[in-house]
Amino acid sequence: MLVERARSEGLQLTGQGGLLQQLTKRVLESALEGEITDHLGYEKHDAGGRGSGNSRNGSRAKTVLTDVGPVEVKVPRDTSGTFEPQIVKKRQRRLTGVDEMVLSLSAKGLTHGEIAAHLAEVYGAEVSKQTISTITDKVMDGMAEWQSRPLDRVYPVLFVDAIYVVMAVTVDGTRDILGIWAGDGGEGAKYWLHVFTELKNRGLDDVLMLVCDGLKGLPDAVEAVWPRTIVQTCVVHLLRNSFRYAARQDWDKVAGALKPVYTAPSEDAATERFLEFQEAWGRKYPAIVKLWSDAWAEFVPFLSFDVEIRKVICSTNAIESVNARIRRSVRARGHFPNEAAALKCIYMALMSLDPTGKGRKRWTMRWKAPLNAFQIAFEGRLTPSNN
C-alpha cells in the first residue's frame, strides 16, 4: 500500500514522512503488537481473553531514532503493567542501528559535533553531543575485555610500534592486534618490560621474531621476557633514518650504496658490503655509518632467510598501515581531554579496520611461504607440545 501511495503521490523515499520511515513504523508497530499478543496469550479482540486477568490497555506514542530518521510508534500497554517490549524497550530512544552508525562515524575520526550535524542533515535526527558521547563510551567495556583477552601460546612474528600497537602474525598467517598502549616513542626498557610482561601474563609464552624500529631498551626487555626471541630492526626505517643525515642530492647514491648491504646473501657478505659503503661515504656521512653500526646486531638476523621471506619480516610496513589509519582518526579529533579518550578513539579505529575482509585474505596469502620457512628454521617452537 505504501509503495502504491509512493508511486501515485510521488512520496519521497527518505527524509521526514518518507517511505522508509513509514515502512519502519509499520514494521516496529507490527512487531510490538506481536510481542503483546505473545505476552497476553491471545489475539486482539479475541473473546478467549475475557477473564484472563490481563488485557490490552491502549497505547502510548513514542519517538525512537532509527537509521532512517526519527519514527513515532505506538507502543501497546496492558492493564497489569507487566508488558516489557523488547523490540523497542522501555526508555529506549535509539535502535541499535543508530548506535552502530555513530560508532562507525566516530571510528572514521568525526568529532561528536560533526556526527550530530551529519545525522541532522542526512536523517533529520536531532542527536546531542552528550548522547553521542554516551554511545561511544559503551565501547570502553569491550575495550577492557579485548585488552585483557587470552593470547595464543606462540606467535611467529610480533611487530612493535613505539606509539600505539603491538601486532602479531599467528601460526595460521592471520593478523592479530594484541593490544594498544599509549606512548610517544621515547620509552625505555622498563616500559617495554611492562608491555611484554603483560602479554606473557595473557598466555604468550614464545615469540620467534620481533620486528621493531630500533626502539630504545627494547632488546633488553625482550631478552628478559622471551630470551629465545630474535629482535629484528626494520630495514626500511634504517634507510629512512639514513636519509636524515644525507643531503637531498645524495639520497639516490646513498640508497644505491646501501642496497648491497641489506640484500647480501649472508651476514659475512653484508659486512663486506658495509665496509665498502663506509669507505665510500664514511668521511662525508659518519652519522649514517654510526646508525648502521649501532643497529647491526638487530639488523642481520633476517639475512639468514631467503629473499621472499625477507620482504615480509624486514619491515614494519604492516603495522605502519594500521597506524596510518589510527593517525587519521587522531588528527581529525585534534585534542583529547585525557589518555582514556585517546585510547577509545584508537580502539574504535582498530575495530573498523578491513570491514570487507579483503585485506586479511591478502595478508594471509602473503604469509604462507614465510610460515613454512619458520616451521623449519625454528623447529618445534611453532607447534609446541602440550606436555
Side-chain angles (χ1 to χ4, degrees), residues 51-90:
S52 63
N54 195 11
S55 61
R56 287 171 173 78
N57 187 31
S59 62
R60 59 183 177 86
K62 176 178 182 178
T63 299
V64 293
L65 184 60
T66 74
D67 50 9
V68 296
V71 174
E72 184 181 277
V73 294
K74 293 180 179 179
V75 181
R77 298 183 296 186
D78 62 339
T79 55
S80 67
T82 57
F83 176 51
E84 295 283 347
Q86 297 301 309
I87 188 72
V88 181
K89 296 180 180 180
K90 289 182 178 180

Side-chain angles (χ1 to χ4, degrees), residues 15-259:
Q16 187 65 34
L19 177 61
L20 289 180
Q21 276 193 346
Q22 295 191 41
L23 284 172
T24 302
K25 174 181 173 67
R26 295 293 179 91
V27 169
L28 291 176
E29 289 182 345
S30 295
L32 288 166
E33 188 59 39
E35 285 191 42
I36 195 167
T37 295
D38 184 63
H39 175 70
L40 296 174
Y42 63 91
E43 296 286 346
K44 194 173 185 179
H45 307 304
D46 188 344
R50 294 174 184 173
S52 63
N54 195 11
S55 61
R56 287 171 173 78
N57 187 31
S59 62
R60 59 183 177 86
K62 176 178 182 178
T63 299
V64 293
L65 184 60
T66 74
D67 50 9
V68 296
V71 174
E72 184 181 277
V73 294
K74 293 180 179 179
V75 181
R77 298 183 296 186
D78 62 339
T79 55
S80 67
T82 57
F83 176 51
E84 295 283 347
Q86 297 301 309
I87 188 72
V88 181
K89 296 180 180 180
K90 289 182 178 180
R91 293 176 291 279
Q92 182 180 2
R93 295 296 177 182
R94 302 181 312 274
L95 298 191
T96 55
V98 176
D99 288 19
E100 292 167 358
M101 187 186 308
V102 168
L103 294 175
S104 176
L105 293 171
S106 183
K108 289 177 171 57
L110 272 68
T111 65
H112 292 171
E114 289 169 337
I115 294 172
H118 173 80
L119 294 175
E121 179 182 354
V122 178
Y123 302 102
E126 297 297 329
V127 184
S128 70
K129 289 191 285 187
Q130 180 57 48
T131 297
I132 293 170
S133 179
T134 300
I135 294 172
T136 58
D137 282 346
K138 291 180 181 178
V139 307
M140 296 303 287
D141 291 340
M143 175 180 166
E145 183 179 348
W146 173 80
Q147 185 82 359
S148 60
R149 73 194 189 281
L151 301 176
D152 292 350
R153 195 172 162 187
V154 59
Y155 289 102
V157 185
L158 246 57
F159 293 95
V160 177
D161 179 85
I163 302 175
Y164 298 124
V165 304
V166 173
M167 187 173 75
V169 180
T170 72
V171 293
D172 298 318
T174 60
R175 180 178 67 187
D176 189 9
I177 297 174
L178 306 187
I180 52 178
W181 292 267
D184 59 13
E187 290 75 19
K190 185 176 180 180
Y191 172 84
W192 291 115
L193 182 62
H194 161 73
V195 172
F196 297 150
T197 300
E198 181 179 323
L199 293 175
K200 187 168 185 178
N201 289 341
R202 289 165 58 191
L204 177 49
D205 288 334
D206 192 14
V207 177
L208 305 190
M209 292 190 74
L210 187 145
V211 183
C212 63
D213 178 21
L215 300 174
K216 180 182 178 182
L218 187 142
D220 292 337
V222 174
E223 172 70 22
V225 180
W226 302 299
R228 295 192 293 172
T229 299
I230 295 174
V231 177
Q232 172 67 55
T233 291
C234 170
V235 177
V236 173
H237 271 92
L238 269 178
L239 288 170
R240 289 176 185 168
N241 293 337
S242 298
F243 296 146
R244 294 179 183 175
Y245 302 109
R248 179 65 181 84
Q249 62 268 24
D250 288 336
W251 282 6
D252 289 342
K253 296 177 182 177
V254 169
L258 284 172
K259 187 174 181 179

Side-chain angles (χ1 to χ4, degrees), residues 345-360:
C345 173
I346 295 168
Y347 174 70
M348 287 192 293
L350 291 176
M351 294 302 103
S352 67
L353 290 172
D354 194 24
T356 65
K358 291 182 179 178
R360 178 176 297 181

